[in-house]
């Protein structure tokens, strides 16, 4: 799927002196805090990380609380959709005005009525809203359907 990319990052983790006997624990906690949040720095949502190396020489930062700065090399899996990318998602809601889709199980997208192809018309079948194709009677978009769509913005 488009929109997924691996990025190599050089990061710095700041560790409190009380955690010096278990350095990996606060580092993993800081890396985990990046997961499933949009990051302006990485221009995307961090889905996974792989810690490649940890610089063994920590630097003590002066100040009120003398934290240790530890250099990290990390591979990050990012979800960063751009305009005109083709994405795939599962339909979770259909209304006359829009189709609501979940991409990769966590990211929500909305396809508005003006962006739905003209061949589809909204109908009510068995009490549910669906978009049915005028040219292919079996082509129906309903809750649970997997669809591909183009990112506009």
């Amino acid at each position: 799927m488009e929109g997924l990319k691996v990025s190599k990052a050089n990061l710095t983790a700041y560790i409190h002196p009380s955690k010096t006997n278990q350095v990996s624990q606060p580092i993993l906690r800081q890396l985990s805090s990046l997961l499933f949040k949009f990051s302006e720095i990485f221009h995307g949502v961090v889905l996974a990380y792989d810690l490649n190396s940890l610089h063994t020489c920590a630097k003590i930062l002066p100040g009120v609380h003398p934290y240790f700065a530890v250099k990290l090399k990390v591979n990050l899996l990012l979800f960063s959709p751009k305009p005109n990318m083709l994405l795939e998602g599962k339909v979770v809601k259909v209304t006359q005005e829009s189709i609501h889709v979940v991409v990769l199980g966590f990211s929500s997208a909305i396809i508005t009525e003006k962006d739905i192809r003209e061949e589809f018309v909204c109908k009510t079948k068995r009490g549910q809203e669906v978009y049915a194709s005028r040219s292919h009677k079996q082509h129906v978009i309903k809750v649970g359907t997997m669809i591909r769509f183009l990112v506009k913005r």
Side-chain angles (χ1 to χ4, degrees):
M1 177 190 309
E2 291 186 64
L4 292 176
K5 67 179 182 178
V6 176
S7 179
K8 294 181 180 183
N10 294 320
L11 303 176
T12 303
Y14 298 101
I15 301 168
H16 192 271
S18 67
K19 302 292 183 186
T20 55
N21 59 347
Q22 295 177 344
V23 173
S24 63
Q25 192 176 36
I27 288 172
L28 294 176
R29 185 175 296 123
Q30 286 184 32
L31 289 172
S32 294
S33 71
L34 298 173
L35 294 175
F36 298 106
K37 295 179 190 171
F38 182 81
S39 172
E40 290 286 335
I41 297 167
F42 303 120
H43 304 289
V45 178
V46 179
L47 299 179
Y49 61 85
D50 181 27
L51 182 60
N52 289 337
S53 70
L54 170 65
H55 197 273
T56 56
C57 182
K59 180 181 177 184
I60 299 173
L61 302 173
V64 179
H65 299 285
Y67 281 78
F68 291 93
V70 180
K71 301 282 186 193
L72 311 170
K73 289 186 190 254
V74 182
N75 286 342
L76 301 172
L77 178 64
L78 300 172
F79 175 61
S80 181
K82 305 277 188 267
N84 297 322
M85 277 188 175
L86 193 62
L87 296 180
E88 190 173 290
K90 187 173 186 176
V91 176
V92 292
K93 183 178 177 184
V94 177
T95 67
Q96 285 190 341
E97 298 83 28
S98 61
I99 298 172
H100 298 253
V101 181
V102 173
V103 180
L104 294 174
F106 78 93
S107 184
S108 152
I110 298 173
I111 304 167
T112 59
E113 183 181 26
K114 66 179 182 157
D115 295 323
I116 298 171
R117 291 195 317 228
E118 304 243 345
E119 76 173 87
F120 287 97
V121 62
C122 188
K123 295 181 179 179
T124 304
K125 286 190 176 182
R126 297 183 195 104
Q128 283 188 322
E129 300 280 336
V130 297
Y131 274 91
S133 173
R134 291 182 184 141
S135 56
H136 303 287
K137 298 297 180 194
Q138 293 155 341
H139 192 170
V140 177
I141 299 173
K142 60 184 179 180
V143 173
T145 305
M146 291 296 287
I147 64 170
R148 284 195 184 119
F149 60 96
L150 202 62
V151 176
K152 288 196 96 173
R153 59 183 169 93

